Amino acid sequence: MLRRAHLLASVSRSNGSKRFASTKSLKETLQEVIPGKQEQLRKLKTEHAQAVIGDVKVENIIGGMRGLKAMLWEASVLDPNEGIRFHGLSIPDCRKVLPSAPGGKEIIAESMLWLLMTGKVPSEAQTRQLSRELAEKGELPPFVEKLVDSLPATLHPMTQLGIGVAALNHDSVFQAAYEKGIKKSEYWTYMLDDCLNLIARLPALAARIYLNVYQPGTPLPAINKDLDLIGNYSTLLGFGDNHNLTEYLRLYIALHGDHEGGNASAHTAHLVGSTLSDPYLSYSAALFALAGPLHGLANQEVLRWQFAMQEEIGSDVSHEKIKEYLWKTLKSGQVVPGYGHGVLRNPDPRFIALQEFCDARPELHESSIIQLVKKTSEVAPAVLKEHGKTKNPYPNVDATSGCVLYHYGLKEFKYYTVIFGVSRALGALTQLVWARALGLPLERPKSLSIDALEKLIT
């Protein structure tokens, strides 16, 4: 709480002078921050290595390690009641203090990336400097363009994204430096270069896939060096004139940037990275984890379900009709998509932030699907509580995220997870830098057979 108060106070003091005057680069800022974290970790190792922080139960082992405290993840912590905090800052805090794009109001990827990497709120100047750096690195190598263009349009966009990211490994500066021989203390600097290069190229890669699959033959616009990362992404997709969609993408991608390390995609990036694989290989693996139906496909499932409800109940969008449809879904043995969470036990702050975005825009008040989402969120918790089979009856971020994309014209369901993949890179790649800066070891948990478990408990 003291750290959070200090961050907010620092921003408040600087508001009169356009936030901060600092113009140090991201790498320079990390060079200042890393020694303190290294010392903090050293003290934990030497003074508290044998401290017990929890018990491992059989349910942890056979239940997918759910809830097991067994992973170091610096940038964010997910509290079951409060939701996600980024270096102590809540989502409302971040929306107040993190710089937006020129002419915009929402958090942008660069300001969230800076916070995740350093634990510090960037200045306006630092944010613009990072935007320029990413734009200058954003072009794809010609061989990757040819590779992506050669893939069949019927290949799932997430598969194409993973292939493209893995192919960028050709230019890994970390891998090249490692093969030549570098000190462990220098690993993080090369890892940072790779991570920034990958983040910079994701919009061009993701947009190329979109156009190849859904608008074949459409030329890809040039990257605008004066735009932020997501401003360029929206332009490359063909929505540069759609200010509302661009602002929504900025908020959506920033909020999805990190959600602690235990989720499947983040954990996969961490695991593969622990082998000293470069960020391209590590994050391509994470993308394939994200592509699974139990992880990254939820927002498109919500949209399908909401459209099915809309078709059945017609124009009579009353709470009672929604309640009847909810019970119909549950009694058929299906889950209500967009509700519940593996960790959260209260409404998802990301859902609340996206709903506030919707409430502030008159055109979304006229959207039947957006209003259906809102009314469903008012009815569903009570129904799910009565049903009694969910630990968290409240809406999560997926309850609304895809529906807003659809309203603003990005209607290709299968592509939604690609946008999620662009966003989740912010946190997963941040942790690869920190894992190398802190010298974290190869991840290698001990596995047990059913027989071995039975012997332990008898």
Side-chain angles (χ1 to χ4, degrees):
M1 290 300 293
L2 287 175
R3 178 183 179 82
R4 172 174 170 264
H6 174 72
L7 279 168
L8 290 173
S10 297
V11 173
S12 177
R13 287 194 299 270
S14 63
N15 274 345
S17 58
K18 203 68 174 180
R19 290 191 176 93
F20 296 91
S22 175
T23 57
K24 289 181 180 176
S25 70
L26 182 59
K27 182 174 283 190
E28 290 169 337
T29 305
L30 277 170
Q31 285 170 334
E32 292 182 348
V33 172
I34 283 173
K37 283 289 182 183
Q38 290 173 331
E39 176 61 17
Q40 189 179 5
L41 184 61
R42 186 196 66 78
K43 285 186 176 181
L44 280 173
K45 286 180 178 178
T46 57
E47 299 176 15
H48 304 287
Q50 301 306 312
V52 177
I53 59 172
D55 299 318
V56 179
K57 303 173 184 176
V58 171
E59 67 177 3
N60 298 130
I61 296 172
I62 65 177
M65 297 190 290
R66 190 172 293 272
L68 190 63
K69 297 178 178 68
M71 186 178 182
L72 184 63
W73 194 265
E74 268 299 291
S76 64
V77 174
L78 181 59
D79 182 87
N81 298 309
E82 290 188 348
I84 194 71
R85 285 188 179 273
F86 309 103
H87 288 290
L89 296 182
S90 68
I91 285 175
D93 294 337
C94 290
R95 295 184 78 190
K96 289 177 183 176
V97 303
L98 290 180
S100 56
K105 295 181 179 179
E106 300 298 344
I107 310 167
I108 59 173
E110 291 88 335
S111 57
M112 178 57 78
L113 176 62
W114 194 290
L115 175 63
L116 293 175
M117 280 278 190
T118 69
K120 298 178 180 292
V121 174
S123 68
E124 190 98 15
Q126 288 172 322
T127 306
R128 302 291 166 255
Q129 180 185 37
L130 183 54
S131 290
R132 168 69 64 164
E133 179 182 354
L134 294 177
E136 289 175 348
K137 295 176 176 180
E139 300 287 348
L140 291 176
F143 82 91
V144 174
E145 293 181 343
K146 291 179 182 177
L147 172 63
V148 173
D149 291 348
S150 73
L151 298 174
T154 52
L155 188 62
H156 197 289
M158 277 299 285
T159 308
Q160 296 192 42
L161 184 65
I163 289 171
V165 168
L168 287 168
N169 145 273
H170 178 274
D171 296 335
S172 171
V173 294
F174 175 79
Q175 184 185 73
Y178 185 82
E179 289 176 356
K180 290 179 181 178
I182 50 174
K183 298 177 182 178
K184 285 186 175 181
S185 61
E186 298 175 349
Y187 283 178
W188 75 266
T189 63
Y190 296 95
M191 191 67 70
L192 176 64
D193 290 339
D194 270 352
C195 289
L196 292 179
N197 287 336
L198 174 51
I199 289 170
R201 290 171 169 178
L202 278 173
L205 176 59
R208 195 172 197 92
I209 292 166
Y210 177 81
L211 294 181
N212 285 351
V213 173
Y214 302 109
Q215 298 177 22
T218 304
L220 199 70
I223 291 174
N224 185 337
K225 303 298 193 298
D226 295 324
L227 284 179
D228 63 291
L229 189 78
I230 306 309
N232 264 311
Y233 184 29
S234 182
T235 300
L236 294 172
L237 288 170
F239 293 94
D241 294 333
N242 190 332
H243 177 75
N244 287 325
L245 176 61
T246 302
E247 276 287 272
Y248 177 71
L249 283 171
R250 285 170 175 145
L251 177 61
Y252 173 90
I253 286 173
L255 295 185
H256 275 71
D258 200 38
H259 213 235
E260 77 164 17
N263 65 77
S265 54
H267 189 190
T268 299
H270 176 78
L271 171 62
V272 177
S274 79
T275 70
L276 294 188
S277 283
D278 63 64
Y280 305 103
L281 298 181
S282 301
Y283 197 60
S284 65
L287 288 168
F288 293 130
L290 185 64
L294 295 183
H295 191 12
L297 300 186
N299 58 8
Q300 67 188 57
E301 295 306 314
V302 169
L303 194 49
R304 286 194 182 97
W305 180 78
Q306 292 278 190
F307 275 131
M309 184 200 299
Q310 190 177 52
E311 184 176 352
E312 180 162 322
I313 68 178
S315 59
D316 181 16
V317 189
S318 64
H319 284 176
E320 190 58 36
K321 286 288 186 181
I322 293 172
K323 183 177 180 180
E324 289 174 7
Y325 192 83
L326 284 162
W327 276 114
K328 178 182 176 181
T329 299
L330 293 168
K331 289 177 179 178
S332 69
Q334 301 176 60
V335 298
V336 175
Y339 287 77
H341 191 275
V343 178
L344 290 171
R345 295 297 174 260
N346 276 320
D348 189 339
R350 298 172 300 174
F351 170 82
I352 295 170
L354 295 186
Q355 198 58 55
E356 288 173 352
F357 179 96
C358 294
D359 291 342
R361 282 160 174 79
E363 73 276 6
L364 295 182
H365 296 174
E366 306 301 320
S367 168
S368 59
I369 192 65
I370 298 298
Q371 293 309 307
L372 182 59
V373 168
K374 184 175 182 179
K375 288 184 178 180
T376 302
S377 72
E378 294 165 355
V379 177
V383 171
L384 291 169
K385 285 178 183 178
E386 185 179 345
H387 185 248
K389 292 187 178 181
T390 178
K391 293 180 180 179
N392 175 10
Y394 301 106
N396 59 51
V397 68
D398 296 311
T400 191
S401 57
C403 300
V404 182
L405 292 172
Y406 188 91
H407 172 84
Y408 282 133
L410 216 167
K411 298 185 176 183
E412 294 81 8
F413 290 13
K414 280 189 175 182
Y415 188 76
Y416 290 177
T417 315
V418 172
I419 301 172
F420 196 170
V422 172
S423 66
R424 189 48 57 89
L426 302 179
L429 296 178
T430 288
Q431 293 309 308
L432 292 179
V433 174
W434 274 102
R436 301 291 74 80
L438 296 174
L440 299 186
L442 176 70
E443 187 173 287
R444 179 58 169 88
K446 171 63 178 164
S447 62
L448 296 169
S449 68
I450 293 177
D451 288 344
L453 269 178
E454 289 177 341
K455 289 179 181 177
L456 286 175
I457 60 177
T458 56

